Amino acid sequence: MRLSNRLIFLLAISTVTLSGCYQYSEAYKRSGAGLPEPMPAEMASADYGSPVIDQDQIFKEWVLPRLKDPDSAKFEKTKPAQKAHKWLWNDKKKESESVFGYEFCGAVNAKNSYGGYTGTNYYYLFVRDNKILHYSDFKGLNFCEAKAAKEKK
């Protein structure tokens, strides 16, 4: 009886450990991390979709519904959109797919529930054919700071 209890215990521990690995690998796959960036020749000849017509309008239409007090929004001028590549998860195919489009940063300061301004919040948007395919408020600050630092040099 002792041997079978040990065997069951080891089997249970192995199952829990391996299921954790599966969840990590799924999240890793969905992020597109570790997938290769396109070669320069591929970037040069890629179809990026239609150029961004009015990125300020795209950003405003996206961010205003997310604010507590949309009327208080103060927008900062954003840099022009630039061509970019991104790996995006495709739910139908259950895999990441390579997408070319445009990326830009948006910046807004608005009032919170208490009536005070929160400070400038930065957002990163990835757009193709003037439709937002991906956004992030985490990468946004790094993306904006990197662009500003690059332009100062």
Side-chain angles (χ1 to χ4, degrees):
M1 193 72 165
R2 288 178 119 178
L3 183 59
S4 65
N5 285 344
R6 287 182 184 171
L7 188 59
I8 290 171
F9 177 74
L10 288 173
L11 184 61
I13 293 296
S14 299
T15 303
V16 170
T17 303
L18 291 176
S19 67
C21 292
Y22 174 75
Q23 290 172 353
Y24 174 75
S25 65
E26 268 302 302
Y28 188 76
K29 261 179 32 181
R30 285 177 177 263
S31 74
L35 294 172
E37 287 300 316
M39 301 299 282
E42 187 181 358
M43 293 284 286
S45 63
D47 175 16
Y48 290 89
S50 60
V52 176
I53 297 169
D54 187 355
Q55 72 187 49
D56 292 335
Q57 187 62 32
I58 291 171
F59 179 64
K60 286 177 184 176
E61 287 176 7
W62 175 81
V63 80
L64 285 174
R66 291 165 169 76
L67 299 175
K68 293 278 185 183
D69 184 359
D71 294 331
S72 70
K74 295 179 181 179
F75 294 93
E76 292 183 15
K77 188 70 178 149
T78 57
K79 303 295 181 205
Q82 62 187 27
K83 291 180 178 179
H85 170 264
K86 192 148 195 65
W87 287 98
L88 297 176
W89 183 255
N90 183 326
D91 275 330
K92 291 179 184 173
K93 295 180 182 178
K94 300 293 184 207
E95 64 183 23
S96 291
E97 67 181 11
S98 178
V99 180
F100 292 90
Y102 294 85
E103 66 183 3
F104 63 90
C105 169
V108 64
N109 188 4
K111 291 183 179 179
N112 59 19
S113 303
Y114 300 106
Y117 279 94
T118 60
T120 304
N121 291 301
Y122 297 91
Y123 298 91
Y124 164 86
L125 288 88
F126 182 81
V127 178
R128 181 174 169 96
D129 296 323
N130 292 301
K131 292 182 182 158
I132 298 169
L133 300 181
H134 176 78
Y135 63 87
S136 171
D137 57 354
F138 300 107
K139 185 179 178 189
L141 181 59
N142 296 336
F143 178 73
C144 296
E145 285 179 344
K147 284 186 81 170
K150 198 174 190 180
E151 289 171 3
K152 286 181 182 178
K153 287 184 178 180

